[in-house]
Amino acid sequence: MNKIITHLDLDLASSNEYKVINAQQLDNNTRRLEVNLFHEGKIYDISNVMKIELQGYRGDGKTIKTSLSHNGNTIIVDFDNSILGAKGNCKLKIVVYGNNDEILSSFPFTVKVDANVYETNGTIAEPISPETDREKAENERVKNENERVKNENER
């Protein structure tokens, strides 16, 4: 299966709003975020960047901090269990560092992780019969009444 790729174009010279990306809990390695960096509308050269990190926290409050790779001016974020392991809003930012760990820029985004709807170790539900609870109760009442009448007639 091919990865679902979300593209974001971010201009470092403007105020970047939070972007929201939707994903399913535990859909590890099925999604990728590709962030294209620009500065005043022109491609931002990140060849002099020393490191790029993903920082933040996920829905259960656990901290995320990991190194990211890039291809040209595109930063690549593959969504794995560190991001998709818990439901809720995952608040993240990509931080670009220069020499001496100087922060050149950072930009935030949110991954909305919807809860996994299947529990691997859960109890499997029995098939639903067409008979409702009310019908079951009525059928049981009729059976009991017939049994009572039979017993009464035998006396």
Side-chain angles (χ1 to χ4, degrees):
M1 180 173 152
N2 293 334
K3 289 188 181 200
I4 299 168
I5 300 174
T6 301
H7 298 277
L8 285 180
D9 291 333
L10 296 174
D11 195 318
L12 302 175
S14 65
S15 62
N16 292 305
E17 302 172 7
Y18 266 92
K19 306 290 183 188
V20 177
I21 300 160
N22 292 308
Q24 174 70 43
Q25 182 183 10
L26 304 177
D27 274 3
N28 301 329
N29 301 312
T30 63
R31 296 184 180 273
R32 171 178 278 180
L33 174 63
E34 293 183 354
V35 181
N36 297 308
L37 297 180
F38 296 89
H39 182 75
E40 296 178 344
K42 296 177 184 162
I43 292 175
Y44 181 72
D45 179 18
I46 58 175
S47 60
N48 64 340
V49 168
M50 301 309 288
K51 70 178 175 179
I52 304 168
E53 284 185 340
L54 180 68
Q55 301 173 355
Y57 60 91
R58 62 185 199 180
D60 62 0
K62 290 187 178 176
T63 299
I64 297 170
K65 184 175 181 180
T66 187
S67 296
L68 298 176
S69 62
H70 66 89
N71 183 6
N73 77 315
T74 302
I75 298 171
I76 299 165
V77 182
D78 285 318
F79 291 5
D80 59 13
N81 196 44
S82 67
I83 297 171
L84 301 178
K87 67 180 181 177
N89 290 328
C90 194
K91 301 282 190 173
L92 301 167
K93 68 178 178 177
I94 295 173
V95 184
V96 179
Y97 292 92
N99 292 328
N100 301 321
D101 277 345
E102 172 192 7
I103 295 176
L104 300 176
S105 188
S106 67
F107 35 93
F109 63 98
T110 298
V111 178
K112 182 180 178 288
V113 181
D114 294 325
N116 184 8
V117 297
Y118 179 73
E119 176 58 49
T120 306
N121 298 323
T123 303
I124 302 298
E126 295 296 322
I128 298 172
S129 72
E131 190 175 58
T132 66
D133 287 341
R134 177 177 266 171
E135 290 170 331
K136 284 181 187 177
E138 177 61 18
N139 290 339
E140 183 69 23
R141 187 196 66 76
V142 169
K143 178 182 151 199
N144 290 340
E145 179 62 19
N146 289 340
E147 184 70 25
R148 186 194 66 76
V149 169
K150 178 184 164 206
N151 290 337
E152 184 71 27
N153 289 337
E154 288 177 355
R155 278 195 229 154

